[in-house]
Each structure stands twice: as structure tokens, then as C-alpha cells.
Amino acid sequence: MLSFRLAARSAALFLAPTLAIAQGSPVRAFTGFTLVDGTDRSPVPNATIVVREGRIVAAGPANSVTIPAGAQRVSLAGKTVIPGFINAHGHVNEPKDLRTYAAYGVTTVFSLGGEPASVFAARAEQNTAALDRARVFVAGPVLDPKTPDDARKQVADVAAQKVDIVKIRVDDNLGTTPKMTPEVYRAVIDEAHKRGFRVATHLFYLADAKSLLAAGSDFVAHSVRDADVDADFISSIKRRGVCYSPTLMREVSTFVYESTPDFFADSFFLAHANAEWVRTLQEPARQQAMRASKSAQQYKVALEVAKRNLKKLSDAGVPIAMGTDTGPTGRFQGYFELMEIEMMVKAGLTPRQALASATSAAARCMKLDRELGTIEPGKWADMVVLDANPLTDIANVRRIASVWIAGNQVAR
Ligand SMILES: [Zn+2]
């Protein structure tokens, strides 16, 4: 028995370094932490994760995982490891935004419109074990057709750009602008589906949400904010298996700068915040204008409607995908995603539900779950290391010790 064990061990010693060298990137073994893997499984104390070529090859209790000899060991004693956060509705303005998101544990961003060519290029380069910034998926230009013919032409254009999803807005901005008509958005959705693309829809009103679902919308990219959702909407969204992204922080950003928000004093926020925005958002004239803004006050009320609707839909079993609409001025990438997760809990979700919406559920909703969203063999090793367990207190999502993408530590 003893000699057998020794033989097995020396075989492992021989094999593992060979693999590591042959495949050109280190095998890493993370040890000694509590694993919250993003599935329904209970947290695993004293866990081990083995990563090779950027992907997880094993994850589980230390006594069930064999660490290949020659693996580079990373002790995470006392920490909690969770999957990297997936933002199902952000906006990436330039490639360096992907480092900002990653600094706060957001390891994937589904950018829903307006990306420049440099961000498309970043997407093309990310399928590598050397990655050390957030992954990005793109919608390209938000379509704004005026006729059904124009709609089909615009869909053909973004299809040629190989976008990951098609994006439209159906909104009158609180009655101030014309809204896309049903015949036009039906043409967008029909043409996108014919070409094999999904359609994400920006909306505000319950009536539009129902009509968009009936037309085949594949993703509700904002909360319903004018009215409480009703049984008709709930049964429709469930029947179609469509995911819902609350983007509560979008609402917050429309009124919170009527004074200087508390988070402007948080060093964790300031570490990566856009300094120009921080400066201009503190200008007294600007804050006064927001205080006086009718729309700001309306969106403040809309946020409370959105929170109630999130709770109702979550209770009904509708898949919720964490999204924020970060990227435009005043919507700070990375930090706002952590606030969004906390706000979802304030709206009535459990920490486990909020975490799922920001990891496994977001991955499923955006069709990324073959590669992302949980810590399981075969997936990319995108992970956040926390000083404390967020299932105990969701505020622990802020206590980030380190972030890893494809098993590489993110500079932050
Ligand atoms: Zn958006």
C-alpha cells in the first residue's frame, strides 16, 4: 500500500510540471478559503481550486482535490472566494474601462450599446489564458429606426458587425421625446430573430414592457418604473423565459447628485473613480439644477417602484440579471455594481439571490454560462476573493482582497 502511494505520488510529480511547461502557463492552486461557487451548493470550508490555462480544472473541499505537483500555490486562508461579477447591462466607452470594472470584481460586462471600434477589438482579443481585465460583450450602435424598412436595414448593419445582442430603446423620456412605434420595434425584433440575434429592450412603462414581450423581446434591460407589475406581465415574462435587469443604480444616478453623496468620501470609491466626474458633480450650480429638476424628482419615485417590482418578480421566480447602466457620466463603473448588489438586498432579495443575479443567473441570461458565472471545472477562472462571506452580510462584497481573471491577478 505504502509503495503504491509513493509510486502514484512520484508519477504525479513527473507529470504535472510537464503539463505546465507544455501548455505555456502556470498551473495555480488556490487553497484554504471558503468557496461560494455560485451554484445552489452550500459554502465549502477549506476549499481548493486548481486552474490551468486560465480555466478551472477542479474546485471543492481540500481533501477531494489533488494539487498537481509543481503547481504555483496561492494561500487564501480565511478568505471567501466567489465567482466574478457579471454586469448584464453596462456601457464600455473605452478599453481602459475594463480595468476599472475588474478592480471592483466585475469580471464581465455586457455592454448594451455605443461601443467604439477599440472595444470591439478588445472583445476579439479576450479569449486567452493571459487575460487580466474584464471581459466585454457588445451591442454596437443602439438602433434608432423610424420605419420598418429602416429597422430591417439597421439590424442587417449590426449583424454584419457581429454584435452579441441587438439593442433598442422604447421610451419617451418622461414624455419629452418621441417613442419608437410598435410597428418599428416589431420589425427590429423580427429581423434580428431571422438572423439569429437576440434583442435587448430599454423600456420604462409597464404597457410597453408587455407589448415588447409580446413582440419577442429577449431581455428586459431596465426595471418597469411607472407602475407595479401585474399578474399579466409576470405570467408573460415567465412563460417566455425572459430575464429582467433592474438597473436600480441608473435611477440613483439621476437624482443623487442634488447634493454630494456619501460615497464621494469613500477611499474605495475614489481609488478608481473618474476624477473629472467627481469634480463636476460637486459643482454647486450643477447640484442646484438637479435639485430643481422635475425629471430627477420623478426618477426618485420611479426607483421605489423599481425596487417593489424587483422583489415581486424575484418572488415569482423570474430570472434577475444584475445590471446597472454604468458608463455614462455620473454612473461609476465597478463601484456602482457593488452598490446595485447591496440595493437589491435592500429591495428584499436575500444575499444569496442578489449574488446569484450577479453571477450564475446573469451568465445564463446573457448565454455565457458555458464559460462563466460559477466556479466549476471547465469554466474560466474569474473569481473575487473577499475578506468575509457575503452570504452573511451583503456589504462584504466591498471587502475585496483580490480579483482574478482567467486565473491571473488583476492590478488594482
Ligand atoms: Zn444602457
Side-chain angles (χ1 to χ4, degrees):
M1 189 64 193
L2 181 65
S3 63
F4 172 77
R5 269 205 200 145
L6 281 173
R9 193 169 296 170
S10 58
L13 276 170
F14 175 73
L15 284 173
T18 309
L19 276 177
I21 292 160
Q23 298 181 9
S25 106
V27 175
R28 286 207 174 98
F30 300 85
T31 62
F33 53 89
T34 298
L35 173 62
V36 175
D37 69 5
T39 71
D40 290 336
R41 283 180 214 118
S42 301
V44 177
N46 190 25
T48 299
I49 296 173
V50 177
V51 175
R52 182 188 295 137
E53 288 291 299
R55 291 180 187 270
I56 296 157
V57 293
N63 61 15
S64 77
V65 174
T66 305
I67 297 177
Q72 189 184 102
R73 287 174 186 250
V74 180
S75 170
L76 299 176
K79 308 293 186 193
T80 298
V81 175
I82 63 173
F85 298 123
I86 296 172
N87 179 8
H89 182 173
H91 293 276
V92 179
N93 303 316
E94 50 183 328
K96 79 177 172 64
D97 295 350
L98 299 169
R99 301 203 173 274
T100 308
Y101 277 117
Y104 292 95
V106 180
T107 56
T108 296
V109 184
F110 223 103
S111 182
L112 290 187
E115 310 82 16
S118 58
V119 173
F120 276 74
R123 179 188 62 162
E125 291 164 355
Q126 66 197 6
N127 212 6
T128 163
L131 194 70
D132 63 353
R133 48 78 175 163
R135 300 171 197 279
V136 61
F137 298 90
V138 297
V142 177
L143 306 192
D144 187 24
K146 306 298 182 215
T147 67
D149 282 350
D150 194 17
R152 294 187 189 276
K153 188 184 162 303
Q154 289 194 17
V155 171
D157 287 348
V158 290
Q161 295 178 44
K162 298 192 164 42
V163 296
D164 297 292
I165 203 163
V166 172
K167 170 78 177 295
I168 52 170
R169 285 198 185 96
V170 177
D171 197 359
D172 64 3
N173 299 297
L174 301 174
T176 62
T177 57
K179 184 158 68 178
M180 188 184 290
T181 62
E183 66 163 354
V184 171
Y185 63 69
R186 283 181 198 129
V188 169
I189 293 169
D190 181 63
E191 187 66 26
H193 287 177
K194 277 186 182 150
R195 292 172 179 273
F197 288 83
R198 305 170 77 224
V199 180
T201 52
H202 165 119
L203 51 79
F204 181 88
Y205 302 97
L206 178 60
D208 292 332
K210 290 180 182 179
S211 176
L212 282 160
L213 282 175
S217 167
D218 301 285
F219 185 64
V220 175
H222 289 290
S223 286
V224 169
R225 288 162 281 169
D226 66 317
D228 287 26
V229 292
D230 55 18
D232 177 34
F233 175 77
I234 292 171
S235 69
S236 168
I237 193 169
K238 284 190 74 172
R239 191 169 59 246
R240 291 161 200 277
V242 169
C243 297
Y244 180 96
S245 188
T247 66
L248 303 173
M249 288 303 295
R250 191 218 84 97
E251 251 50 41
V252 171
S253 77
T254 62
F255 63 80
V256 76
Y257 306 114
E258 59 188 14
S259 58
T260 300
D262 291 347
F263 56 82
F264 272 28
D266 181 355
S267 60
F268 183 47
F269 167 78
L270 293 169
H272 304 281
N274 180 317
E276 174 67 14
W277 294 355
V278 172
R279 192 181 60 73
T280 56
L281 291 167
Q282 290 180 93
E283 288 168 4
R286 191 171 171 132
Q287 293 187 349
Q288 170 55 34
M290 191 171 265
R291 270 198 298 280
S293 157
K294 202 172 142 221
S295 69
Q297 301 314 317
Q298 285 175 276
Y299 284 128
K300 197 182 279 187
V301 176
L303 173 62
E304 296 311 310
V305 179
K307 283 156 79 176
R308 283 202 301 277
N309 284 340
L310 166 59
K311 171 67 172 158
K312 247 185 167 173
L313 292 167
S314 173
D315 285 352
V318 174
I320 307 294
M322 188 274 286
T324 52
D325 212 4
T326 48
T329 303
R331 300 189 202 153
F332 293 88
Q333 295 159 322
Y335 190 88
F336 268 28
E337 280 68 29
L338 303 180
M339 288 181 77
E340 180 86 23
I341 293 166
E342 291 178 288
M343 190 166 279
M344 292 170 96
V345 171
K346 287 188 190 113
L349 272 61
T350 65
R352 181 176 284 278
Q353 288 173 324
L355 273 186
S357 83
T359 57
S360 53
R364 276 196 301 277
C365 288
M366 307 323 282
K367 310 292 181 199
L368 302 173
D369 53 311
R370 207 171 58 80
E371 307 242 70
L372 301 169
T374 59
I375 296 178
E376 294 180 291
K379 300 207 180 182
W380 287 114
D382 294 1
M383 317 180 290
V384 182
V385 180
L386 299 171
D387 289 330
N389 190 336
L391 296 176
T392 314
D393 178 357
I394 199 63
N396 290 337
V397 295
R398 293 168 178 260
R399 297 177 62 187
I400 298 176
S402 58
V403 179
W404 302 76
I405 293 176
N408 304 304
Q409 187 164 6
V410 169
R412 52 191 295 278

